[in-house]
Amino acid sequence: MENFKKRKKSKLWLTIAPLYIFTLIFVGGPLIYMVALSFMSRAEVWGIVADVTVENYTKILEPIYIETFVQSFKLAFSTTILITLIGYPFGYFMAKLSPQWKKRMMILIMIPFWTSALIRLYGWIIILQSNGVLDKLLMGLHITDGPLKLLYTYTAVLIGMVYSLLPFMILSVYSSAEKLDWSLIEAARDLGATRWKTFLTVTLKLTLPGLLSGVILTFVPSMGLFFIADILGGNKIVLVGSLIQDQMTKGRNWPFAAALSVVLMIMTSLMIYLYRKITHTKDLEGIL
Amino acid sequence: METIMLQLQNIKKSFGNTTVLKEINLDVKEGEFITFLGSSGCGKTTTLRIIAGLENPDSGVVLLEGKDVTNEEPHKRNVNTVFQNYALFPHMNVEQNIGYGLKIKKVEKSQIKKQVQEALELVQLSGYEKRMPSELSGGQKQRVAIARAIVNRPKVLLLDEPLGALDLQLRRQMQVELKRIQKKVGITFIYITHDQEEAINMSDRIVVMRDGVFEQIGTPNEIYNKPVNSFVATFVGSANILKGIVKECENDYVKVSINTEEIIVKTDKKVSVGDNVTMAVRSENIELYGERKENCLEAIITEKSFAGGMMHMILKLTDDTEVVVSRHGMNMEFEEQQKVYISWKPDGCVLVD
């Protein structure tokens, strides 16, 4: 019996081995390479030289880069808060729809994914630009007197971020709310709780895993989505993501880009860790 | 004098085109154990949900202690429900589940703890405070659900097939226990089941329901021994239904002809010669004879089976009507395919509508 169990265990290991190997090569490898790279120095003109240094990290402490990090975090926070405010009720009420309407809503959410994110963002330029679709609409309805000139502002980047990342929140809240046993809500009402109290003590608590994974799915990418800031923010908004991209390409400073990435990664991991510590969640909907 | 706790007056309810409740009326006394008995889809759960306030009737009035609560929100009614699937909050432990209602009412913490302890003692689950619902068996979940409702001392406790998911042995045990709890706390219980044995064992009164109508309201004794119609007679204790024509009437005694044979029946119903009548005869009230006597019907035994300590025999009358006869213990006197004669005492059957 003992023998049999052992054999079974080794077989099990074999079946999941490819997964470990894959992760090691395609996740672990690049990660190690990136960390190593961050301690190298840039070459005079092209490439890197293996001079071990911490200069790349000390450079981040310069006010301009600190400011970039602060701005990125601010944007990520506002994006996540806005997405939560819109996405949570959206996902929750979607789960309450009839099966037929659920399907229709799902298709509406999925359709944008069939088009490149870049093309959709260029669509936003047409909407947001001075005297663009939005301005004309608002002026036509006499809500505003002149053009809002939203394009290439912080607001435009925020709109772009919320637009791009909202589906992730909706879908993860939806998947959580879908599994919700509605008789629990009736039970809470029956035991004397008002609608609001029921929401706080039962509904919210039970859909928290979905909400939390939605927050992480929106917060983490919003730190790095450089192309939204580039397209809708002009060059006025510099985020860590865009900084890394610039250092990687135009700046030709790979080690510094790697150091920035490592710091960003550590900070986001720290955020997630703190977040989970505060909210006491062990199982997040599908991720982590 | 007994006070009326709950009144349902002319309650009607439809979902879309289907009428679920057709004008039901009921008075429930304080401290009464009343059971809605009916097969699934008869509207018993809807009735319960209307009392709880989870559903609003299309018309009619719900009175709780004489006060109209028809349009009152569920959290304002002093009524609690034990749900069919228990509906325990999965993110709270036993103690938090039971204390939920009290916490909502902002009862003092030490008081909550005390009352939760008492409730746990009542359902014999002391020591389970810190368990999560996922760590409990079906029977234990059931007890927690009962404790969670009872701890609030509701005026009326609604139980929606609370024992439906439990195995037979546990169900019997819980029946006894529920009855004990009800006697101890003195709360009015409204209980839903499709199990006639459960209804008869536990209830002060039974409401037999079919298609959104109350067929009969009465004590278990009345329901069993004086069913008003053939539905009640067959649904509760599966009586045999026989149709015949009244031949003679004398005081309370009526001679009824079935096919070509005649049998005497005692009834307090007003019938006259020539009336078509329906008789309900319990299988255990039927006598079997090997040879023809007076007041007998001819039959053939088609099947014999032994179940639950009873011998069940299926007989066919000369017009192919099936009759079930039951006897305690093994009965080897008669064989399958044997021709026999059946009879019953005049008060061994009732005339039903």
Side-chain angles (χ1 to χ4, degrees):
Chain A
M1 192 62 201
E2 199 61 25
N3 220 350
F4 176 74
K5 257 189 190 163
K6 250 184 204 159
R7 236 175 53 210
K8 218 176 161 188
K9 227 176 190 173
S10 68
K11 277 261 173 62
L12 197 71
W13 188 85
L14 268 178
T15 50
I16 49 174
L19 204 70
Y20 279 113
I21 295 165
F22 184 89
T23 316
L24 210 66
I25 294 173
F26 292 102
V27 180
L31 212 59
I32 293 163
Y33 177 59
M34 188 180 79
V35 174
L37 198 60
S38 71
F39 289 102
M40 309 273 167
S41 313
R42 68 184 291 196
E44 278 300 313
V45 185
W46 175 254
I48 47 166
V49 284
D51 278 345
V52 177
T53 172
V54 288
E55 202 187 300
N56 296 314
Y57 287 98
T58 50
K59 198 175 169 186
I60 295 173
L61 295 174
E62 285 170 26
I64 178 167
Y65 298 121
I66 296 271
E67 183 55 37
T68 309
F69 267 96
V70 169
Q71 201 167 35
S72 293
F73 268 105
K74 261 198 205 145
L75 183 70
F77 271 121
S78 341
T79 305
T80 309
I81 288 167
L82 273 177
I83 284 177
T84 306
L85 290 178
I86 305 166
Y88 184 87
F90 197 117
Y92 176 78
F93 286 112
M94 205 173 118
K96 279 187 130 176
L97 294 174
S98 67
Q100 204 183 2
W101 274 102
K102 271 183 199 169
K103 225 180 268 170
R104 285 179 197 158
M105 292 303 285
M106 196 59 95
I107 289 169
L108 281 179
I109 290 170
M110 298 311 286
I111 282 175
F113 284 106
W114 300 342
T115 318
S116 153
L118 280 173
I119 292 170
R120 284 184 282 134
L121 281 174
Y122 279 109
W124 275 103
I125 293 184
I126 298 168
I127 296 170
L128 295 176
Q129 67 190 345
S130 200
N131 286 312
V133 177
L134 184 68
D135 278 348
K136 284 204 174 117
L137 186 74
L138 290 177
M139 288 192 293
L141 292 169
H142 300 290
I143 294 167
T144 54
D145 295 331
L148 287 174
K149 294 184 179 157
L150 277 176
L151 192 60
Y152 306 133
T153 62
Y154 183 81
T155 315
V157 178
L158 192 60
I159 291 172
M161 288 279 193
V162 171
Y163 165 77
S164 306
L165 296 169
L166 186 60
F168 298 104
M169 175 62 84
I170 293 174
L171 291 176
S172 64
V173 169
Y174 169 79
S175 74
S176 220
E178 250 257 288
K179 282 182 236 147
L180 194 66
D181 178 0
W182 300 106
S183 72
L184 294 176
I185 288 158
E186 288 191 340
R189 301 274 289 136
D190 185 74
L191 289 166
T194 57
R195 279 172 209 279
W196 176 240
K197 199 88 194 163
T198 302
F199 174 76
L200 288 180
T201 55
V202 179
T203 319
L204 185 62
K205 286 270 167 66
L206 291 173
T207 51
L208 206 57
L211 176 63
L212 296 186
S213 59
V215 164
I216 287 168
L217 282 174
T218 51
F219 183 80
V220 176
S222 66
M223 292 291 295
L225 280 177
F226 59 87
F227 60 90
I228 295 177
D230 284 356
I231 293 170
L232 297 176
N235 278 327
K236 290 178 196 160
I237 317 289
V238 182
L239 302 176
V240 182
S242 353
L243 185 63
I244 294 169
Q245 193 232 1
D246 285 346
Q247 292 300 325
M248 209 66 189
T249 55
K250 293 174 216 151
R252 282 183 283 108
N253 193 348
W254 285 26
F256 184 49
L260 285 168
S261 301
V262 170
V263 171
L264 179 63
M265 207 175 65
I266 290 169
M267 288 179 96
T268 28
S269 308
L270 206 70
M271 296 295 300
I272 295 170
Y273 173 77
L274 282 176
Y275 186 60
R276 289 179 62 184
K277 203 71 179 180
I278 294 163
T279 49
H280 303 289
T281 38
K282 283 179 204 104
D283 55 327
L284 294 176
E285 201 69 35
I287 65 160
L288 293 170
Chain B
M1 209 198 96
E2 281 170 316
T3 48
I4 300 293
M5 176 57 74
L6 178 82
Q7 283 173 287
L8 302 178
Q9 294 175 345
N10 306 316
I11 302 276
K12 277 191 210 170
K13 178 76 187 174
S14 306
F15 292 116
N17 290 325
T18 33
T19 309
V20 184
L21 297 175
K22 302 167 188 160
E23 285 232 3
I24 54 167
N25 287 282
L26 179 70
D27 288 356
V28 182
K29 288 183 229 102
E30 188 176 359
E32 198 173 16
F33 194 125
I34 201 153
T35 301
F36 289 149
L37 177 64
S39 45
S40 60
C42 72
K44 52 194 195 307
T45 298
T46 306
T47 312
L48 209 69
R49 290 174 61 84
I50 285 173
I51 300 170
L54 298 169
E55 213 87 64
N56 283 323
D58 296 340
S59 63
V61 184
V62 181
L63 298 170
L64 187 64
E65 292 188 298
K67 198 179 136 236
D68 185 351
V69 294
T70 317
N71 294 313
E72 193 114 85
E73 295 237 28
H75 69 271
K76 286 187 180 158
R77 300 189 188 194
N78 205 350
V79 168
N80 286 128
T81 309
V82 176
F83 290 85
Q84 193 169 7
N85 64 350
Y86 319 131
L88 297 180
F89 303 123
H91 57 301
M92 299 180 197
N93 64 25
V94 168
E95 194 176 21
Q96 290 164 327
N97 259 290
I98 298 174
Y100 184 84
L102 299 172
K103 198 178 162 194
I104 291 287
K105 285 189 201 100
K106 299 212 164 64
V107 176
E108 206 189 318
K109 260 193 182 154
S110 57
Q111 185 64 25
I112 293 179
K113 206 165 177 80
K114 198 177 137 237
Q115 276 178 261
V116 168
Q117 282 303 329
E118 283 170 7
L120 276 170
E121 253 165 59
L122 190 69
V123 297
Q124 300 177 347
L125 269 185
S126 300
Y128 283 75
E129 292 84 350
K130 299 291 177 238
R131 295 273 192 102
M132 296 305 280
S134 56
E135 298 166 330
L136 300 174
S137 70
Q140 291 167 338
K141 280 184 195 164
Q142 187 56 70
R143 285 159 197 264
V144 174
I146 292 164
R148 184 178 69 174
I150 278 181
V151 79
N152 302 297
R153 298 286 147 160
K155 293 287 176 202
V156 179
L157 184 70
L158 308 171
L159 303 104
D160 188 1
E161 300 214 27
L163 310 183
L166 305 180
D167 60 64
L168 191 67
Q169 207 185 343
L170 200 55
R171 210 152 72 205
R172 293 256 163 81
Q173 196 188 323
M174 282 302 288
Q175 283 176 16
V176 177
E177 200 140 306
L178 265 177
K179 194 70 197 163
R180 175 184 67 82
I181 290 169
Q182 196 250 346
K183 273 190 187 138
K184 193 158 181 194
V185 295
I187 294 172
T188 308
F189 272 39
I190 298 184
Y191 190 94
I192 279 188
T193 186
H194 58 261
D195 182 338
Q196 36 131 336
E197 276 181 35
E198 210 165 279
I200 289 171
N201 280 342
M202 303 171 79
S203 322
D204 295 323
R205 279 195 301 160
I206 297 173
V207 179
V208 182
M209 267 188 102
R210 176 171 64 159
D211 296 338
V213 174
F214 290 170
E215 295 281 353
Q216 188 173 0
I217 304 171
T219 62
N221 188 24
E222 285 166 350
I223 299 282
Y224 192 84
N225 291 318
K226 289 203 160 43
V228 293
N229 57 31
S230 54
F231 174 78
V232 176
T234 48
F235 193 78
V236 182
S238 56
N240 293 297
I241 299 297
L242 296 167
K243 288 182 191 300
I245 299 163
V246 177
K247 281 279 165 198
E248 280 173 43
C249 291
E250 202 187 320
N251 296 330
D252 285 349
Y253 292 90
V254 177
K255 189 180 266 181
V256 180
S257 92
I258 298 171
N259 305 325
T260 54
E261 295 149 314
E262 284 167 353
I263 198 153
I264 292 167
V265 171
K266 189 184 177 216
T267 182
D268 44 15
K269 271 210 169 90
K270 279 269 160 281
V271 286
S272 41
V273 176
D275 281 356
N276 282 307
V277 288
T278 307
M279 286 167 287
V281 198
R282 300 276 169 210
S283 56
E284 66 270 22
N285 288 345
I286 297 175
E287 308 284 344
L288 282 182
Y289 304 107
E291 55 209 55
R292 184 176 279 284
K293 288 185 174 180
E294 278 217 356
N295 208 21
C296 269
L297 306 175
E298 187 185 314
I300 283 179
I301 300 175
T302 57
E303 224 181 290
K304 283 172 81 174
S305 65
F306 188 73
M310 300 271 277
M311 193 78 199
H312 300 282
M313 285 168 275
I314 299 173
L315 279 63
K316 257 188 186 157
L317 299 186
T318 46
D319 65 344
D320 277 355
T321 310
E322 273 194 353
V323 174
V324 179
V325 179
S326 306
R327 284 284 170 277
H328 279 288
M330 293 285 277
N331 188 319
M332 291 310 196
E333 202 182 328
F334 302 101
E335 297 302 320
E336 276 185 28
Q337 303 308 326
Q338 188 181 341
K339 189 189 271 186
V340 290
Y341 298 91
I342 62 172
S343 178
W344 55 86
K345 293 192 182 110
D347 57 359
C349 93
V350 279
L351 290 189
V352 294
D353 297 331

